[in-house]
Amino acid sequence: MKFFKKPEARALIALAFVLIIGFAFNADGAFFKWTTHRDMLRYISVFAILGCGMTLVIITAGIDLSVGSVVGLTAVLFSLFSIQYGWSAWLVIPVVLLAGMACGMVSGTLISKWGMQPFIATLAMMVFARGTAKWISGGKKVSTAVMQSDGSYKYVDVPAIYNFISAKILHNNIAIVTIIFLVCALVAYIVLSKLRWGRYMFAIGGNEEASRLSGVPVVATKLIAYGLCGLFAAVAGICQAAQEQQGDPESGMSYELTAIAIVVIGGTSLAGGRGGIGLTIIGALTIGYLEKILSINAVGEAYRLMLTGIIIAAAVLFQKTRKK
Amino acid sequence: MKTKVFLLIALSLVIFACEKKESEKAPVKKSGPLTIGMSQCNLGEPWRVQMNEDIKQAAAKQKELKVVFKDAQNDSLKQVAQIEEFINAGVDAIIVSPKEAAPLTPVVKAAFEKGIPIIVLDRRVNGDNYTCFIGADNKKIGKAAGEWIVQKLKGKGKVVELKGLMTSTPGQDRHSGFRSGIEGSDVEIIFDVDMKWLEPAARKEMESALARFKDINLVYAHNDPGAHGAYLAAKAAGREKDILFVGIDGLPQEGQMYVKQGILAASFEYPTGGKEAVDTAVEIFNGQIPEKEITLRSRVFTTKNIDRGGVLL
């Protein structure tokens, strides 16, 4: 029975429960096709990438509400630089990643240096980044239609990097964005489990005051956590833009909520100090399968929202019972 | 910065123009520098950004016309406050694209009763206390799309319908209009879901449709981004050549571009009416009484007619 006390086991049970629903409502066998699973993995990858960064932040007992807006901002920047300015991908990607990281570092500074509540600081960043995305793009999607000075449009080709990121490999069996997610998960795993910064994150989440007194560099650790969260958001933004073939200033709207749901369903505690990337991967699969099952059965929007709410609540409650 | 420069230029134009005006004595009811207040319910949708753009361009063609833009950020009460500000500022006319009817009706009425011409654009208010309503008919556009699809498929085929938010009137009308357009034909809707106007959602739903059905002839999406998302899903599955994609809105940088690129078979324009609103305001300034209701005609862009700028429906 000890097995069931582990958060991994509980998260897997929740996932298995969702899969059983999928077996029962398989939409004329569509659920049993590999392509359905492949497409689910593609769709959930952007959210799961956000979930990786969110896991780090949540483990320090923080939260980052700005990741959705940073997706929008970085998607716009990525498209602007690569499509409209025609910069090379080798230049665009680092610049955009740095921009995302900068957003996270600003939130991190507000929180760690100036003692702002994570909720408030990242809420401010969420509004600010969205505004910046709209300002840079002029409120329009940055697409392959480039506006000329006389108001007409010139249509250009989408840069090769877009097709590369939105492609599938291994005989069309897995999307590149899914691979990117796995790389992000690996990076987050290394940070959390192999580097001392990861131990510091757990320590701060467990008891910030105690860790400060025992010499943990709280400010630097938090900056790293939020900076990485912003960096992962930029990765997600690039994936989003590549898949949409344009930079939409509205993209990533409310993605932060899905990212938080993924982390929490996995079993990482919002109180901080407990959790892990493995849990987040399971959480991502749970949310991904849930959405996919509702989608292939063409369930109406109202029922989808209701069912998703119930299942999130049930999964988290199930996680909670282990404490007793 | 851009807006500041624009305002500065507009202002100097107005001052310059009004000096000239003294000698002209044209038979206008209202003369001198004129100001239109434009209250946009939100600028989150590219279509509304385009509407403001159209208004800006139409106003730039008039000599002494300044337009003040306000964005209510999808908040009805903020929009009410902004129209009140226009009334208090004593603008010469107001254009309003309301977020919703009920909360905006009293303030529109107040402006109307104060004698300020008020032009309601796209969405309606209740009653008839306004100067002029300009809008397109989503039901008609949906029906035209339905009829075009029946013709294109020669009366028979399997269609996926990707709906906009079904709690919004455009979504409902584009749905019911479409259904009445295909009525009596053998066009069959095999999969219909709500993609909430969002491209990534449309792509996800289309992937599900592709997983379930081997045979899909056409996708009808309630907006062009939806149709584009569906195309991307089909392309990823290597099935984009077997399926036709039809969308609505026909913005130059979206639907029209997709048609030009051969991604969409057709895009049905949902005109913004921005130009018509400014023209109507100018008419009023010239002492004419506009029609109470102007229904905009929309165009259809297809791969055949896109280079000629589409065909009026």
Side-chain angles (χ1 to χ4, degrees):
Chain A
M1 287 313 282
K2 220 176 178 182
F3 174 73
F4 292 104
K5 293 227 164 81
K6 283 188 163 173
E8 287 85 356
R10 303 233 166 204
L12 281 171
I13 290 169
L15 174 60
F17 175 69
V18 169
L19 285 175
I20 289 168
I21 301 179
F23 281 113
F25 300 94
N26 57 44
D28 311 323
F31 188 73
F32 302 125
K33 290 182 190 156
W34 168 243
T35 51
T36 303
H37 301 263
R38 176 196 70 190
D39 293 343
M40 182 283 291
L41 289 171
R42 179 200 68 75
Y43 176 74
I44 206 65
S45 290
V46 163
F47 299 98
I49 292 169
L50 295 178
C52 289
M54 193 67 80
T55 308
L56 304 181
V57 167
I58 286 180
I59 282 174
T60 68
I63 194 104
D64 192 344
L65 299 178
S66 70
V67 291
S69 295
V70 175
V71 165
L73 175 60
T74 49
V76 164
L77 288 176
F78 182 66
S79 298
L80 194 71
F81 294 153
S82 58
I83 300 179
Q84 307 224 333
Y85 296 178
W87 294 5
S88 129
W90 299 109
L91 177 61
V92 177
I93 292 177
V95 168
V96 171
L97 292 181
L98 278 177
M101 199 157 149
C103 290
M105 299 279 258
V106 170
S107 306
T109 309
L110 291 174
I111 293 159
S112 59
K113 281 215 162 134
W114 296 327
M116 234 172 168
Q117 293 277 351
F119 190 93
I120 305 297
T122 59
L123 180 72
M125 179 51 75
M126 165 177 142
V127 179
F128 178 79
R130 181 69 65 194
T132 313
K134 291 189 182 199
W135 172 62
I136 291 172
S137 63
K140 290 184 187 175
K141 294 176 183 170
V142 182
S143 67
T144 48
V146 183
M147 202 193 221
Q148 307 293 296
S149 49
D150 62 348
S152 66
Y153 287 92
K154 193 182 85 188
Y155 303 101
V156 297
D157 280 337
V158 64
I161 184 72
Y162 283 68
N163 295 326
F164 173 74
I165 295 176
S166 51
K168 298 190 190 70
I169 52 165
L170 299 180
H171 299 288
N172 229 357
N173 276 325
I174 193 126
I176 294 277
V177 287
T178 308
I179 306 285
I180 294 175
F181 157 55
L182 292 175
V183 172
C184 289
L186 183 68
V187 170
Y189 171 78
I190 290 171
V191 170
L192 275 180
S193 310
K194 303 285 167 204
L195 303 183
R196 66 198 156 93
W197 297 106
R199 286 200 304 279
Y200 293 159
M201 286 174 197
F202 281 106
I204 292 172
N207 188 335
E208 187 170 338
E209 202 46 44
S211 14
R212 193 193 313 274
L213 293 174
S214 51
V216 170
V218 173
V219 171
T221 307
K222 282 193 176 176
L223 270 178
I224 288 174
Y226 285 91
L228 281 175
C229 191
L231 179 76
F232 285 134
V235 173
I238 291 172
C239 293
Q240 185 81 3
Q243 293 188 79
E244 287 191 45
Q245 315 250 297
Q246 66 193 6
D248 183 354
E250 297 288 314
S251 68
M253 198 71 99
S254 79
Y255 279 24
E256 61 278 354
L257 299 180
T258 308
I260 294 169
I262 283 174
V263 175
V264 173
I265 281 190
T268 296
S269 164
L270 271 180
R274 271 183 299 131
I277 284 296
L279 296 175
T280 299
I281 295 176
I282 301 172
L285 292 175
T286 310
I287 294 268
Y289 274 116
L290 179 60
E291 293 216 4
K292 193 76 214 170
I293 291 158
L294 295 170
S295 171
I296 52 174
N297 286 291
V299 176
E301 181 63 14
Y303 298 113
R304 279 189 199 196
L305 295 173
M306 285 156 58
L307 279 170
T308 310
I310 291 170
I311 291 188
I312 290 176
V316 174
L317 269 181
F318 185 57
Q319 279 287 0
K320 281 221 146 192
T321 50
R322 75 169 187 263
K323 277 193 225 154
K324 282 169 194 166
Chain B
M1 194 58 202
K2 247 185 189 167
T3 36
K4 264 191 191 161
V5 172
F6 173 77
L7 281 179
L8 212 70
I9 293 169
L11 206 71
S12 53
L13 275 180
V14 166
I15 294 165
F16 176 70
C18 93
E19 276 170 5
K20 210 172 107 194
K21 193 78 208 168
E22 298 292 315
S23 58
E24 260 182 18
K25 289 272 178 255
V28 293
K29 203 181 169 192
K30 269 200 158 177
S31 59
L34 296 171
T35 307
I36 297 177
M38 164 63 196
S39 170
Q40 181 63 270
C41 62
N42 81 76
L43 282 177
E45 303 158 41
W47 184 79
R48 293 190 177 278
V49 176
Q50 185 68 40
M51 185 197 279
N52 277 16
E53 191 69 35
D54 290 347
I55 289 175
K56 205 181 266 180
Q57 281 183 8
K61 289 199 184 102
Q62 303 294 331
K63 264 190 193 155
E64 34 185 339
L65 196 57
K66 187 177 114 182
V67 184
V68 179
F69 291 93
K70 289 194 180 182
D71 169 16
Q73 293 164 324
N74 231 353
D75 182 336
S76 291
L77 295 184
K78 196 180 257 178
Q79 193 166 25
V80 170
Q82 289 176 348
I83 296 172
E84 282 167 349
E85 285 159 25
F86 282 142
I87 297 173
N88 294 333
V91 295
D92 301 289
I94 297 172
I95 301 171
V96 51
S97 193
K99 172 167 154 57
E100 45 195 345
L104 270 304
T105 300
V107 72
V108 169
K109 188 177 171 210
F112 183 66
E113 284 175 350
K114 263 202 135 184
I116 302 173
I118 182 151
I119 298 161
V120 181
L121 201 50
D122 181 40
R123 293 185 192 159
R124 290 173 183 281
V125 292
N126 299 329
D128 60 352
N129 287 306
Y130 52 84
T131 315
C132 172
F133 170 78
I134 301 175
D137 188 337
N138 270 313
K139 253 187 201 155
K140 265 192 198 157
I141 293 171
K143 187 159 186 237
E147 286 163 355
W148 188 90
I149 286 167
V150 169
Q151 208 183 5
K152 187 80 186 173
L153 296 178
K154 303 197 173 64
K156 194 173 182 305
K158 292 185 163 57
V159 171
V160 169
E161 184 180 2
L162 298 174
K163 299 181 286 190
L165 261 188
M166 287 312 282
T167 44
S168 73
T169 19
Q172 291 159 1
D173 290 349
R174 287 175 189 189
H175 171 70
S176 66
F178 170 67
R179 292 301 169 105
S180 71
I182 61 167
E183 218 169 54
S185 74
D186 286 327
V187 169
E188 185 194 350
I189 309 296
I190 50 171
F191 194 77
D192 76 310
V193 282
D194 201 326
M195 52 84 179
K196 300 173 278 184
W197 308 116
L198 300 172
E199 174 157 349
R203 180 168 178 176
K204 178 185 73 165
E205 300 306 331
M206 186 64 192
E207 281 173 346
S208 299
L210 289 165
R212 266 185 78 169
F213 301 100
K214 276 210 180 67
D215 209 15
I216 298 170
N217 303 115
L218 188 142
V219 175
Y220 165 63
H222 286 190
N223 65 355
D224 292 325
H228 184 238
Y231 166 83
L232 291 175
K235 192 176 163 210
R239 287 169 64 179
E240 83 276 16
K241 297 242 168 18
D242 313 328
I243 304 171
L244 296 171
F245 301 88
V246 175
I248 296 185
D249 279 346
L251 290 182
Q253 77 281 17
E254 280 180 1
Q256 292 183 35
M257 173 179 85
Y258 298 147
V259 172
K260 215 168 248 185
Q261 294 172 333
I263 290 171
L264 302 191
S267 174
F268 289 76
E269 180 191 32
Y270 185 69
T272 68
K275 179 184 170 294
E276 288 78 0
V278 173
D279 291 349
T280 306
V282 171
E283 247 177 57
I284 297 167
F285 295 150
N286 289 338
Q288 287 164 296
I289 299 166
E291 280 181 64
K292 186 91 186 174
E293 182 138 351
I294 299 171
T295 305
L296 296 165
R297 291 188 66 187
S298 65
R299 291 175 288 175
V300 55
F301 301 101
T302 62
T303 32
K304 276 183 196 145
N305 71 25
I306 183 76
D307 292 325
R308 285 178 282 128
V311 169
L312 275 175
L313 285 176

